[in-house]
Amino acid sequence: MLTIYSDDHHLHHGKFELIDGQLTPCFEKPSRADMVLARAQKVNLGGVAAPREFGLEPILRVHDSGFVHFLKGAWAEWQAMGRDYDMLPFTWPNRRLRQTIPDCIDGKFGYYSFDAGVPITAGTWQAVSSSVNVALTGQAELAKGARGVFSLCRPPGHHAAADYMGGYCYFNNAAIAAQACLDQGAARVAILDVDYHHGNGTQDIFYDRADVLFTSIHGDPRFEYPFFLGYADEKGVGVGEGFNFNYPLAAGSDWSVWSLALAAACRQIAAYGPDVLIVSLGVDTFKEDPISQFKLDSPDYLRMGETIGKLGLQTLFVMEGGYAVEEIGINAINVLQGFDSVQ
Ligand SMILES: NCCCCCC(=O)NO
Ligand SMILES: [Zn+2]
């Protein structure tokens, strides 16, 4: 399987995130993608290709222009205030507050984010733009007929919605790739989000649409981030009703439980009959993941890939989360090797 990868992700390395009441060194760090790339090369998964440049147009097919232009100019605006340290938001427009975009950067940052997990640094814009190009280059390879392609995206994207960032995510790489499939003639695209956390951004983007089926297996939002989306009763709205399936699971869920949800999601995907499948590939479902509560083990990721491969669909794997850095490469590439093992 071909891997699409850019070194530009090293340009994004936030210092701290607020978690468990502490300013903590960011779990979403460059070594994550380095370890995945190293594993792909070690097992000879396939070639490694650099992304092509797609510009802002495909991003603007998914994201609000005010949001995109805020992110593009944020660091310069921050620096102009004499601040040379990471940007972090700290105030958000909650219920019954005005949804008016403030003039000051701290207000704008809060308007365009939903948590404090999105540091912006000098290199963030370049890194997130390249991460989108990695996803779109993978999508282009699929359009040329590849059975499976791996877009080793960093930063991840599935928490980012049309007009807000959060949870280490800035642009929604998987959603942008899905929209590109549709813009190039696909009638239906299925997205399977196997990350430990609910892909609230991806769900939000496609919630009122029938041309994208969104399925997600994740920690129950009653106890797990992102807390405020991801319940099983969220089925879509309007023409999108019936095209959204959430499978929230309890803390401690292992393969015996997780695989039942995967089978159910795969049944929905098969019934939908998509032209292409996009997998938001987070491996923070791993039993040793430092911020997650599932109990999958490394061999389970081979089985995950095999199950996805048996759908018989052209598949783009887009990297999302996973923070057990020593094992992230083994686990992510196991999925891809499992997929490739299915003929
Ligand atoms: N800082 C709160 C937890 C962010 C989760 C990021 C992630 O892995 N999402 O899939
Ligand atoms: Zn995650």
Side-chain angles (χ1 to χ4, degrees):
M1 182 182 298
L2 177 67
T3 295
I4 314 297
Y5 169 82
S6 168
D7 266 332
D8 282 356
H9 75 86
H10 289 108
L11 297 169
H12 175 71
H13 187 184
K15 288 180 181 55
F16 299 108
E17 65 175 280
L18 183 60
I19 196 162
D20 299 339
Q22 310 275 342
L23 269 182
T24 308
C26 289
F27 286 98
E28 203 296 293
K29 53 192 171 183
S31 57
R32 298 178 55 246
D34 294 340
M35 291 293 279
V36 176
L37 178 66
R39 180 70 180 178
Q41 293 170 322
K42 182 177 181 183
V43 305
N44 296 314
L45 183 74
V48 177
R52 288 193 284 117
E53 172 62 57
F54 289 82
L56 287 183
E57 191 180 334
I59 296 172
L60 290 165
R61 290 288 293 137
V62 166
H63 289 288
D64 168 83
S65 62
F67 171 76
V68 172
H69 290 95
F70 165 75
L71 186 52
K72 184 171 185 184
W75 179 255
E77 194 173 340
W78 182 259
Q79 268 200 314
M81 299 170 72
R83 300 173 175 176
D84 61 357
Y85 40 85
D86 290 12
M87 294 179 64
L88 279 174
F90 64 91
T91 308
W92 293 276
N94 215 313
R95 288 171 298 285
R96 292 175 301 286
L97 295 174
R98 287 290 295 270
Q99 299 298 314
T100 303
I101 304 172
D103 294 331
C104 91
I105 189 156
D106 291 304
K108 284 190 282 190
F109 199 178
Y111 181 85
Y112 286 123
S113 63
F114 77 97
D115 74 6
V118 274
I120 295 177
T121 72
T124 298
W125 172 257
Q126 183 57 45
V128 301
S129 301
S130 289
S131 194
V132 167
N133 287 328
V134 166
L136 288 169
T137 304
Q139 185 275 331
E141 286 300 317
L142 223 54
K144 287 192 269 184
R147 173 173 173 266
V149 185
F150 176 38
S151 287
L152 211 184
C153 292
R154 185 185 167 268
H158 73 147
H159 293 304
D163 59 356
Y164 62 74
M165 61 189 95
Y168 315 158
C169 300
Y170 303 80
F171 288 146
N172 195 313
N173 305 307
I176 292 167
Q179 187 60 54
C181 292
L182 296 164
D183 290 347
Q184 293 165 29
R188 285 179 306 284
V189 176
I191 298 176
L192 170 63
D193 191 325
V194 297
D195 189 283
Y196 170 73
H197 303 92
H198 178 251
N200 60 286
T202 313
Q203 171 171 312
D204 186 34
I205 288 165
F206 297 117
Y207 202 59
D208 60 355
R209 293 170 51 173
D211 57 352
V212 176
L213 171 77
F214 179 66
T215 60
S216 178
I217 308 164
H218 50 269
D220 189 315
R222 285 175 298 179
F223 74 85
E224 187 53 82
Y225 182 95
F227 302 116
F228 302 111
L229 213 59
Y231 288 85
D233 65 354
E234 296 157 16
K235 298 290 189 186
V237 69
V239 297
E241 186 152 4
F243 297 98
N244 194 91
F245 292 91
N246 286 326
Y247 301 91
L249 300 178
S253 294
D254 63 9
W255 178 253
S256 67
V257 173
W258 199 94
S259 58
L260 297 177
L262 178 63
C266 287
R267 284 194 295 274
Q268 293 296 350
I269 291 165
Y272 180 62
D275 298 292
V276 65
L277 172 64
I278 295 175
V279 176
S280 271
L281 180 57
V283 290
D284 37 7
T285 46
F286 182 52
K287 64 182 184 178
E288 303 297 337
D289 194 273
I291 65 167
S292 308
Q293 311 291 329
F294 283 173
K295 297 295 178 196
L296 269 61
D297 201 353
S298 295
D300 297 329
Y301 294 97
L302 286 164
R303 300 184 184 96
M304 188 187 298
E306 287 166 24
T307 304
I308 295 168
K310 287 173 180 168
L311 284 166
L313 295 166
Q314 281 189 288
T315 304
L316 176 65
F317 293 88
V318 177
M319 194 72 206
E320 301 284 359
Y323 308 99
V325 175
E326 289 308 310
E327 298 92 351
I328 187 174
I330 294 165
N331 295 336
I333 302 306
N334 272 2
V335 175
L336 309 179
Q337 290 185 295
F339 177 88
D340 278 347
S341 72
V342 174
Q343 297 308 324

